[in-house]
Amino acid sequence: ALPQTREPVLLGAAMLGAVAGGAYASDVIRAGILAIDPGIIEAAEVSGLSRRVTFTKIVLPIALRTSIRPLGSVLINLILTSSILSTITLNELTGSAQIVVSQTYRPFEVYVVLLVAYAALTYLVSASRCFTAASTVT
């Protein structure tokens, strides 16, 4: 018989997070690019800059600066939706909490600790997002 390993489950979870997070992040960056005033791009073209230089030196920095807060929201969403991973037998915070509940028969205390852990994670990401956004304001 083949040995039971967790690598396929972990790999699947990582791929799921990468695809979902990448889709949302690319949409946020696309929105940041579309939010740039067309006059800025026209000014770069009139100045004789190539499309590549215009994109890398002008458009992308402005778009990324605009996208910092929404990208933080994407990261918070990925943290909070990681609890779904317990449904594919990968023990993350929620799965570990379910194991502790089954051993201690104290669901209220365990889930309060879980709530505090998720709140702390999201607060740290949110605070760093605000700090980063404030430091990039010109």
Side-chain angles (χ1 to χ4, degrees):
L2 292 174
Q4 297 292 326
T5 61
R6 305 238 28 105
E7 286 88 19
V9 175
L10 185 61
L11 180 64
M15 288 175 49
L16 176 70
V19 169
Y24 285 122
S26 65
D27 192 44
V28 165
I29 292 172
R30 181 191 61 82
I33 291 171
L34 292 177
I36 294 175
D37 184 24
I40 295 173
I41 298 170
E42 290 174 8
E45 289 174 357
V46 168
S47 298
L49 296 177
S50 67
R51 286 184 152 201
R52 180 175 180 222
V53 171
T54 300
F55 184 76
T56 58
K57 300 291 184 184
I58 296 172
V59 173
L60 198 57
I62 295 171
L64 291 178
R65 192 175 310 128
T66 306
S67 302
I68 286 176
R69 286 185 182 241
L71 285 173
S73 296
V74 169
L75 182 59
I76 289 172
N77 187 19
L78 281 174
I79 290 171
L80 294 178
T81 55
S82 70
S83 62
I84 296 173
L85 297 178
S86 64
T87 60
I88 59 170
T89 68
L90 184 65
N91 284 334
E92 41 65 69
L93 287 175
T94 304
S96 299
Q98 290 171 347
I99 291 171
V100 172
V101 166
S102 69
Q103 293 172 349
T104 63
Y105 301 107
R106 301 187 75 151
F108 182 76
E109 293 86 353
V110 172
Y111 288 124
V112 165
V113 170
L114 180 66
L115 172 76
V116 169
Y118 273 123
L121 282 171
T122 56
Y123 177 76
L124 288 173
V125 171
S126 181
S128 66
R129 175 180 72 162
C130 291
F131 175 75
T132 306
S135 67
T136 59
V137 173
T138 56

